[in-house]
Amino acid sequence: MKNISRAAAEAKGIVAVDGCPMQCARRTLEKAGFNVNESLVVTRDCNVPKSFILENAAAITNVADAIVTRVKKIETGQAAGNNDGGGGTETN
């Protein structure tokens, strides 16, 4: 956990990727004190059913494209939760 926390603290921004509207990843990151710059709920934002088959290349591509879009928002300073101060966030 130390390596993950250190990487998150030193990164430019965090994209939380959740499988459903409960947003456990986002809430866990925020509870740990990290600023989530962008969030993606796969079932809502990518129209991928929660029990989708991993072999569905179109669904995987759709999710990957959505993540890339959010990372680019962070890189260009257009993220919804942009903190402009650096630190405390991660882009992966």
Side-chain angles (χ1 to χ4, degrees):
M1 287 302 286
K2 286 183 181 181
N3 289 337
I4 293 170
S5 294
R6 185 175 57 241
E10 295 173 357
K12 293 179 184 178
I14 293 177
V15 177
V17 180
D18 284 292
C20 72
M22 290 186 67
Q23 298 187 22
C24 295
R26 180 187 184 114
R27 290 189 296 152
T28 299
L29 287 162
E30 289 172 342
K31 186 174 182 178
F34 296 106
N35 179 43
V36 175
N37 299 87
E38 286 289 323
S39 181
L40 173 69
V41 178
V42 174
T43 54
R44 178 190 69 208
D45 301 328
C46 300
N47 295 318
V48 175
K50 188 167 180 165
S51 60
F52 84 101
I53 299 170
L54 288 176
E55 289 83 20
N56 183 336
I60 293 169
T61 299
N62 189 16
V63 172
D65 290 346
I67 294 169
V68 168
T69 297
R70 283 157 177 80
V71 169
K72 287 181 180 179
K73 283 183 172 182
I74 291 171
E75 290 176 341
T76 60
Q78 298 174 1
N82 187 20
N83 67 359
D84 294 324
T89 55
E90 177 176 22
T91 303
N92 280 347

